Amino acid sequence: MAAVTDMDSPTPAPAAATGPGRRSSLFLRRPFFTIALLATLAYVGAAVFAPWVAPYDPVQQSIDAMMAPPGPAHWLGTDSYGQDILSRIIYGARYALVIGLCSVLIGAAGGLVIGLAAGLAGGWVEWALMRVIDSILALPSLIMAVAFIAILGQGVDKVVIAVGLSMIGPFARTVRADVMQVRVQLYIEAARLMSIPRWQVIARHVLPNVVFPLAVQVTIRISEAILVSSSLSFLGIGVTPPTPDWGLMIAEGRGFVAFAPWMSAMPGLALALLLIALSILGDGIREEYDPKLRGGS
Amino acid sequence: MDKAELKKAFLERMSAKMGRRAVLKGMGAGLIAAGGNGVFPGIARAQQSGHIRIASIKVIDTLDPHFTGFLSSIQIINNIHNGLLKITYDGEEVRFEPDLAKTWELEDDRTHLFKLRENVKFHDGTPCDAEAVKFSLLRVKEGEPESPHAWKLEQLEEVEIVDPLTVRLHFSQANAFLPVALNGSTGRAGTIVSPAAVEKFGQDYGRNPVGTGPFRFVSWRENDAIELEANPDYFEAGLPKLERATFVLMNEASTAVAAMISGQIDGMTDCPMQLVPQIEAFPGANLYGEIEGNYTFLGMNNQRAPFDDINLRRAVAWALDRETILAQSYFGRAIQAYTPISPPMTKFYDPDIATSGRGQWFDLEKAKQFRAQAADQGEVQATYMMAERGPVGTRVAQTVAPMLAQIGIRANLELIEPATWVQRRNAGDFDLYDFEWVADLDPDEAIYPEFRSDGAWNYCGWQNADFDQHCADAQVTLDTEERRRLYYAAEDLLMDEAPIAIMAHMPIYKVFSTKVDGFQYIPADLVNLHSVSLTG
């Protein structure tokens, strides 16, 4: 951290130095952040404890309760197979969160490698890598994911890889930008003059400066990854039915919107709330910890 | 002949001589008076008017009747072309009647004599005569490239032109399936095309179809619309009534329903079962649909493990709870199928089939007995490939999977692209799949090419020489009673050895705005606009 603040802002130290005290007041200063954090934790809890929390088996069909509206037996209603929507949403949280997190990690790892390589190598390697990344960035990540799914096939694991690959571009850009800032620093120059091996310079001085902004990016982009994976399922090319996936549930309910609106509305609401919570969470973390933003405020 | 019929016959002759428009101009006043009396409702409004817009939901491959594989194409083709025969339906019985043929006589069981209507012209002005009929039939039978419907005319030996309006068809053997093959609708093989147009357009005929039908082809804009306009010289008196017809190409049925409700379109060529309640709730539309000539089934791969085991197949056939499937997969709109022969095959369908003891139905005890005799007593893993295709997409697979679990079969549902699905089915790369054979009006086309040991559509790979023999015999048997006996015997073998578990006969729906009059529903998935008109 110190290395970056050297360049970025002349006096960041006092704010950062109060460590624990500052953290304890965070929740009071940012009530929305707190609510969002609690909401996210609720989703995580539902996902982890799904078998105990969900009132029904998510793939238990019931011919007697097809398209039942929300009521005491089924709080959020049932779908066209008589499956309980609340249970499916709770189990669906597992898929949403796991797919979101894993694919973002794939994207971040890929972005880190490419960004580091481009930023450190410089010259034509950097030029070539960044032009490739630029051309990837020219396409929305959903389009990229569709293309990867077409190559890989369908299924949860394939969706994770496809969404992850489609997110490498933005991560690579961020990492490279950070590397470029670091590589001109005096201490890097000094380390080089002291003929410290290159991998050591990278590991000790470059990586720490890059990883933290990357982590902030990860929290922000999880919601995008969840949205893209749900979109894939909605389009019928992601997760396979009868998996309780939100995108799939929205798509399945679409044909019945006129007379059983809860079939699409409930999973849609679940998805929307999680995305809003994650966005607020991501923004909050970024504003708190991103050195660039913090310096400006 | 009563007075009205005399008048009609006279008008027909007149119209043939003078062209329909001249007749109408000259006799307009009298005709309108007659129409007021309800004698000639068609002719009274015969001046074509109105422009109908119909959403066509499924893929249109080509408008060449001899090469299309899709009913969605036939729906349009049938408005542009005529066949030697046509399908009619009076609400009770499906019949095959002469269309371009004026009369159809059986000289003996292998020789058919067709006398053609006089003065019928193709839309390009060339005459539709015996030469055109010969040309069209031979184009199907032995044309290059080969028509997918060539098999329907396999036994056609010679097309003899007796005179310019008479053809005699010689067959190598009696063929009970012939009425279906020779009709211009679902049979396709008997559709008559303009030889001059085929000559002119060659391979592009499918984009420039020229027939004798009530509508002329105008244009086909890719992914947008197919435009037709009235053929003022059409041979059926008083038809067509519309001036223009546009088939709007919409891929999404739900979009079409929205367009229907907002009044942008006047009809839909198809309405998936799940959208039917929306149409029923909308006062501005009429729904047409009955159980058609089709059957749906769960297909098993007989050529490889695990379903090369007859006892496992039988277990599956008896384990499917048809009532749940009907309610859950088909929204309670289909009826239970016990065998492939379906209700519109009026001469063959047994209305009491449910109590006849023939076919397959749900009996879990029986299923478990067969399961106990299966070679593999452990949990059987099976790949069930499904796609967002057909009338209910993946619903059957999702409904059936838990039923299979009850008899120790774990169905691994695999969702693939419709095109890949077709490829894999044709290559036999599956354990389970569900499908439907549709628009069949004769038992021959319903089971023979589908399950013949070397049949082109025998994707399950079931083989049974007795079945083949029964079907082959039925094909050359003209006595209906005897034919029925043979088909029942063939079906009994099929249901007992269970290459498929049969599920349902489905209704196929059409939707028209309440402004649309005169649509004649035919249970063969047709959208004939011949007698359709628009009011208001």
Side-chain angles (χ1 to χ4, degrees), chain B residues 509-532:
Chain B
Y509 293 103
K510 312 270 170 283
V511 177
F512 281 105
S513 142
T514 46
K515 289 188 298 182
V516 173
D517 272 345
F519 173 66
Q520 288 175 350
Y521 170 80
I522 295 172
D525 207 358
L526 295 174
V527 186
N528 288 354
L529 298 177
H530 303 52
S531 56
V532 167

Side-chain angles (χ1 to χ4, degrees), chain A residues 63-244:
Chain A
I63 191 174
D64 303 320
M66 275 169 59
M67 291 190 245
H74 301 277
W75 289 3
L76 301 184
T78 62
D79 66 9
S80 66
Y81 296 92
Q83 302 173 123
D84 182 58
I85 290 179
L86 175 62
S87 306
R88 288 177 72 75
I89 288 178
I90 290 173
Y91 274 88
R94 290 185 157 185
Y95 291 95
L97 291 171
V98 167
I99 292 175
L101 196 63
C102 292
S103 51
V104 158
L105 289 180
I106 290 179
L112 184 65
V113 171
I114 295 178
L116 272 181
L120 292 172
W124 68 268
V125 175
E126 179 179 19
W127 184 87
L129 279 174
M130 290 330 283
R131 290 303 78 76
V132 171
I133 294 295
D134 281 346
S135 56
I136 290 174
L137 280 174
L139 295 170
S141 44
L142 179 60
I143 305 284
M144 291 296 298
V146 169
F148 286 123
I149 282 284
I151 298 166
L152 297 168
Q154 289 177 284
V156 176
D157 48 342
K158 314 285 180 15
V159 169
V160 167
I161 298 172
V163 176
L165 290 178
S166 75
M167 302 194 87
I168 286 179
F171 281 115
R173 252 197 178 271
T174 318
V175 172
R176 171 181 165 263
D178 288 329
V179 172
M180 282 169 69
Q181 281 184 5
V182 177
R183 75 178 179 200
V184 295
Q185 295 299 318
L186 279 177
Y187 59 87
I188 300 280
E189 196 68 16
R192 208 175 284 161
L193 287 174
M194 289 162 71
S195 48
I196 294 173
R198 191 164 183 171
W199 64 268
Q200 252 183 17
V201 177
I202 295 174
R204 266 208 207 142
H205 302 289
V206 181
L207 264 184
N209 281 299
V210 169
V211 162
F212 191 75
L214 189 67
V216 173
Q217 279 284 315
V218 165
T219 57
I220 294 168
R221 293 206 177 264
I222 285 180
S223 57
E224 188 187 331
I226 292 174
L227 190 62
V228 170
S229 70
S230 297
S231 306
L232 288 178
S233 304
F234 178 79
L235 293 173
I237 54 175
V239 176
T240 307
T243 310

Side-chain angles (χ1 to χ4, degrees), chain B residues 356-378:
Chain B
S356 70
R358 295 185 55 238
Q360 299 173 348
W361 58 92
F362 174 48
D363 184 339
L364 195 56
E365 279 315 304
K366 209 165 170 179
K368 284 181 172 161
Q369 283 168 22
F370 282 124
R371 182 69 178 88
Q373 294 167 36
D376 187 345
Q377 285 300 314

Side-chain angles (χ1 to χ4, degrees), chain B residues 218-423:
Chain B
V218 178
S219 67
W220 178 350
R221 294 187 304 276
E222 200 65 47
N223 293 325
D224 180 14
I226 292 174
E227 300 273 357
L228 309 181
E229 66 179 9
N231 168 16
D233 303 318
Y234 186 54
F235 60 78
E236 282 187 274
L239 305 181
K241 295 180 181 175
L242 292 165
E243 196 178 4
R244 242 184 139 70
T246 302
F247 285 89
V248 186
L249 307 178
M250 288 184 168
N251 290 324
E252 271 286 322
S254 50
T255 314
V257 168
M260 188 76 216
I261 289 170
S262 67
Q264 294 168 42
I265 53 170
D266 309 303
M268 293 166 61
T269 60
D270 184 39
C271 183
M273 280 173 250
Q274 71 189 62
L275 298 178
V276 166
Q278 285 186 51
I279 294 295
E280 283 175 333
F282 173 57
N286 291 323
L287 188 71
Y288 299 79
E290 291 177 18
I291 303 295
E292 297 204 347
N294 58 48
Y295 58 99
T296 72
F297 58 88
L298 175 67
M300 295 169 256
N301 193 337
N302 292 225
Q303 291 287 331
R304 71 181 196 195
F307 294 110
D308 53 354
D309 180 348
I310 189 170
N311 286 313
L312 196 64
R313 294 204 303 269
R314 283 171 169 158
V316 170
W318 293 93
L320 300 191
D321 178 355
R322 270 64 170 195
E323 248 174 71
T324 299
I325 294 174
L326 294 183
Q328 202 160 282
S329 303
Y330 299 107
F331 303 96
R333 295 183 181 273
I335 63 166
Q336 182 167 346
Y338 294 83
T339 72
I341 289 178
S342 43
M345 301 173 197
T346 27
K347 293 197 172 78
F348 301 92
Y349 181 70
D350 175 5
D352 300 319
I353 182 112
T355 52
S356 70
R358 295 185 55 238
Q360 299 173 348
W361 58 92
F362 174 48
D363 184 339
L364 195 56
E365 279 315 304
K366 209 165 170 179
K368 284 181 172 161
Q369 283 168 22
F370 282 124
R371 182 69 178 88
Q373 294 167 36
D376 187 345
Q377 285 300 314
E379 190 188 55
V380 170
Q381 300 267 343
T383 306
Y384 189 140
M385 63 164 188
M386 56 181 187
E388 281 302 339
R389 52 151 300 282
V392 290
T394 62
R395 295 191 72 83
V396 170
Q398 295 194 58
T399 307
V400 159
M403 299 174 187
L404 297 177
Q406 286 191 312
I407 51 165
I409 296 174
R410 190 190 162 82
N412 299 313
L413 302 187
E414 206 180 318
L415 181 67
I416 50 179
E417 277 294 296
T420 318
W421 185 94
V422 171
Q423 251 171 34

